[in-house]
């Protein structure tokens, strides 16, 4: 099933098909708005020299993608464990990894090095935003579907979900355990987990091992 995925960061940033839902305005208006901010005119000229029209939608996409490539996370305790350092994780955290892959069913979507399948799913949040459904109105499973979020540095990113509706990782685990909304678009992979309190604690402990001790991303000061 085609879920409207775009492969490169540039394509994702540009998103011409969904411009109404992107940056909350028509993509054609964006260069005009930016061009009226003197600080941006200078910065775009510097970043894209020798171009007659440096503030274009294409260059905006390039600039955003270039920033996104600086958002990287370093080695986390989990990575040291995978490399063979048995002492990098506690027994509770290791048990949590087992729950993540088995009873919790998390790895079905949070897979690979970034813990994301880069695909879109409805996980039953109560937000009224139909997400990917705006782009693919006829595909039932894309209603209320959002892109699987990678889980690296997750402990530093509360509140959780696209609408920030879940405050804590414990709350996230409770959501998947039983609190999701049932509707036709709900992913087939979301079902009651019947986790014990111990398993819930193990899962949260594991999620915290994905956080690297690096500095994080500094937010640039933007021209206004
Ligand atoms: C059916 C696919 C799927 C499964 C299974 C799944 N997730 Fe998710 N997960 C998602 C999607 C999609 C999002 C983003 C939802 C949104 O923002 O609307 C998400 C978001 C999250 C977030 C919040 C990320 C953030 O930065 O806000 C955490 C934490 C998380 N999942 C952990 C888990 C855990 C733990 C499990 C197993 C108990 C799990 N997920 C199972 C698809 C899935």
């Amino acid at each position: 099933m085609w879920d409207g995925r775009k492969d490169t960061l540039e394509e994702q940033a540009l998103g011409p098909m969904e411009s109404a839902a992107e940056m909350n305005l028509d993509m054609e208006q964006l260069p005009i708005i930016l061009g009226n901010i003197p600080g941006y005119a200078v910065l775009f000229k510097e970043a894209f020299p020798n171009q007659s029209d440096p503030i274009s939608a294409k260059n905006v996409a390039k600039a955003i993608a270039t920033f996104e490539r600086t958002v990287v996370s370093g080695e986390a305790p989990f990575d040291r464990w995978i490399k063979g350092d048995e002492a990098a994780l506690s027994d509770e955290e290791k048990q949590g990894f087992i729950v993540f892959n088995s009873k919790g069913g998390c790895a079905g979507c949070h897979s690979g090095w970034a813990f994301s399948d880069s695909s879109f799913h409805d996980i039953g949040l109560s937000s009224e935003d139909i997400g990917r459904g705006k782009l693919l109105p006829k595909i039932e499973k894309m209603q209320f579907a959002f892109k699987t979020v990678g889980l690296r540095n997750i402990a530093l990113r509360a509140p959780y979900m696209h609408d920030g509706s879940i405050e804590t990782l414990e709350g996230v685990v409770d959501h998947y355990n039983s609190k999701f909304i049932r509707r036709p678009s709900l992913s087939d992979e979301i079902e009651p987990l019947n986790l014990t309190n111990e398993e819930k604690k193990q899962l949260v402990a594991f999620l915290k091992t994905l956080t690297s001790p690096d500095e994080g991303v500094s937010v640039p000061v933007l021209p206004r």
Side-chain angles (χ1 to χ4, degrees), residues 50-185:
N50 307 323
Q51 290 188 14
S52 56
D53 186 18
I55 306 188
S56 60
K58 228 180 176 163
N59 284 347
V60 169
K62 270 190 191 155
I64 292 174
T66 304
F67 168 70
E68 287 177 348
R69 290 194 185 93
T70 70
V71 182
V72 287
S73 55
E75 193 178 66
F78 174 75
D79 300 305
R80 283 192 274 121
W81 179 54
I82 290 295
K83 277 187 188 165
D85 178 0
E86 276 303 321
L89 295 199
S90 69
D91 286 344
E92 185 184 43
E93 291 162 345
K94 289 176 197 170
Q95 284 301 322
F97 185 51
I98 294 172
V99 177
F100 185 85
N101 287 298
S102 55
K103 196 170 166 187
C106 318
C109 299
H110 295 281
S111 53
W113 61 271
F115 296 89
S116 170
D117 59 2
S118 296
S119 202
F120 299 84
H121 311 271
D122 173 12
I123 61 164
L125 296 165
S126 63
S127 153
E128 282 171 16
D129 191 336
I130 58 167
R132 190 94 317 211
K134 288 182 202 135
L135 184 64
L136 300 167
K138 295 200 181 118
I139 301 179
E140 185 169 79
K141 289 289 179 196
M142 287 298 118
Q143 308 313 302
F144 302 100
F146 286 81
K147 194 172 191 176
T148 307
V149 186
L151 297 180
R152 290 198 168 263
N153 284 356
I154 188 70
L156 308 175
R157 292 214 307 268
Y160 299 106
M161 306 306 175
H162 70 271
D163 56 356
S165 58
I166 304 183
E167 299 282 335
T168 61
L169 288 174
E170 286 78 7
V172 170
V173 170
D174 280 338
H175 169 83
Y176 284 111
N177 194 45
S178 62
K179 295 205 171 134
F180 48 86
I181 293 175
R182 287 168 200 274
R183 54 193 168 204
S185 53

